[in-house]
Amino acid sequence: MNLSQVAAQLYTVRDHCRSALELAVTARKIRAIGYPAVQLSGLGPIDDREIVAIMRGEGLAICATHEPAADILERPEKVIDRLQRLGCRLTAYPYPQGVDLADPVQVDRLIRQLDAAGARLRAAGCMLGYHHHALEFASLDGTLILDRILAGARPENLVAELDVYWVRCGGGDPVDWCRRLRGRLPFIHLKDHHLAADNRPEPCELGAGSLPFREIVAAAEAAGCEWFIVEQDTCPGDPFDSLKISFDYLAAELIA
């Protein structure tokens, strides 16, 4: 993993990205930590031209986005237009909002919609990923839901945005999943996993939990991963401090 492949997920600092002014301050802080790129998610209503200008001004690449689920499934041309404005080719379906994952009819309809949307994005030079949580590790008709989604859509139309924390929460092995997704894993979310005092899982800074990141990164690299994106859904204090702790861990332990 090279430094140029590391990014910060802006969802981590979403409370500091509500306006263009806040985003500019946030971008400056992230670049000062050392991150060369960001994934856009959780931003306020900021014009794409302002986003591009802010990121360019701070020397940050835009490696990927999350787009609204309805836009991806029902208005893929809108997503394509936005990605082209941002100069970015990767996006992910963020969450199966309104889909009952226990209903095979609804899941199969979602798969068809994702495959069709992914084909539209691919034709435009973009790429659609599926961003999972723990709920996709439940079984449906004897098969993991995530397996069903990825097997049902054509690999050229739908890739995976693996999240190693949610893999662990779902009872899976992140290293094994990286290996299984060879050729279908252009981006990955890195966040560590630990158990709180009440035995409830919580995300934490890289190196502060139980996940084997040296093995994860090696397996992801072998799978062809292009972007290693640091995310922390909730932080114990200042989210910029959490992003710095994770970056410093990567810099000391894993960045070539």
Side-chain angles (χ1 to χ4, degrees), residues 7 10 36-40 43 48 50-56 59-65 82-83 85-90 227:
L10 291 185
V38 295
Q39 180 177 24
L40 303 184
L43 276 63
D48 288 339
E50 286 193 274
I51 295 172
V52 170
I54 289 167
M55 297 306 160
R56 186 174 295 148
L60 287 167
I62 300 172
C63 72
T65 75
R82 182 168 197 243
L83 292 175
R85 285 194 301 273
L86 294 171
C88 170
R89 70 183 183 93
L90 282 171
W227 288 103

Side-chain angles (χ1 to χ4, degrees), residues 83-231:
L83 292 175
Q84 291 175 341
R85 285 194 301 273
L86 294 171
C88 170
R89 70 183 183 93
L90 282 171
T91 193
Y93 178 83
Y95 186 82
Q97 188 69 40
V99 179
D100 181 0
L101 294 183
D103 182 349
V105 173
Q106 292 191 41
V107 171
D108 289 344
R109 182 172 64 243
L110 173 63
I111 293 168
R112 291 192 299 272
Q113 291 176 305
L114 288 167
D115 187 71
R120 296 282 292 278
L121 266 69
R122 177 170 58 86
C126 302
M127 188 177 294
L128 177 62
Y130 186 90
H131 176 262
H132 67 87
H133 295 81
L135 67 168
E136 287 90 352
F137 285 83
S139 179
L140 179 62
D141 294 338
T143 302
L144 288 185
I145 294 167
L146 185 57
D147 273 328
R148 185 174 182 132
I149 291 170
L150 293 174
R154 286 168 288 184
E156 63 268 28
N157 292 340
L158 186 69
V159 297
E161 184 181 45
L162 198 70
D163 186 302
V164 298
Y165 169 82
W166 290 117
V167 172
R168 173 62 64 83
C169 286
D173 177 353
V175 176
D176 178 61
W177 270 92
C178 288
R179 291 171 179 155
R180 293 170 61 184
L181 291 168
R182 188 179 184 91
R184 208 173 177 181
L185 185 63
F187 50 174
I188 190 170
H189 277 179
L190 302 181
K191 66 177 77 120
D192 214 337
H193 174 285
H194 79 118
L195 296 177
D198 59 0
N199 215 36
R200 179 173 47 86
E202 285 183 341
C204 61
E205 296 79 10
L206 304 188
S210 60
L211 292 183
F213 282 103
R214 188 170 298 279
E215 291 85 355
I216 288 169
V217 168
E221 286 184 309
C225 190
E226 302 169 24
W227 288 103
F228 297 83
I229 304 169
V230 176
E231 181 184 37

Side-chain angles (χ1 to χ4, degrees), residues 3-113:
L3 175 59
S4 62
Q5 295 176 280
V6 176
Q9 223 302 20
L10 291 185
Y11 186 77
T12 308
V13 290
R14 57 196 176 276
D15 293 336
H16 303 271
C17 298
R18 293 168 296 184
S19 68
L21 180 59
E22 287 185 342
L23 182 61
V25 173
T26 290
R28 191 168 301 117
K29 289 181 177 180
I30 287 174
R31 189 68 189 98
I33 290 170
Y35 289 95
V38 295
Q39 180 177 24
L40 303 184
S41 182
L43 276 63
I46 307 168
D47 186 271
D48 288 339
R49 291 169 296 184
E50 286 193 274
I51 295 172
V52 170
I54 289 167
M55 297 306 160
R56 186 174 295 148
E58 296 301 331
L60 287 167
I62 300 172
C63 72
T65 75
H66 277 182
E67 299 298 326
D71 284 349
I72 288 171
L73 300 183
E74 301 167 18
R75 297 173 288 276
E77 293 301 327
K78 179 179 179 181
V79 174
I80 291 167
D81 289 345
R82 182 168 197 243
L83 292 175
Q84 291 175 341
R85 285 194 301 273
L86 294 171
C88 170
R89 70 183 183 93
L90 282 171
T91 193
Y93 178 83
Y95 186 82
Q97 188 69 40
V99 179
D100 181 0
L101 294 183
D103 182 349
V105 173
Q106 292 191 41
V107 171
D108 289 344
R109 182 172 64 243
L110 173 63
I111 293 168
R112 291 192 299 272
Q113 291 176 305

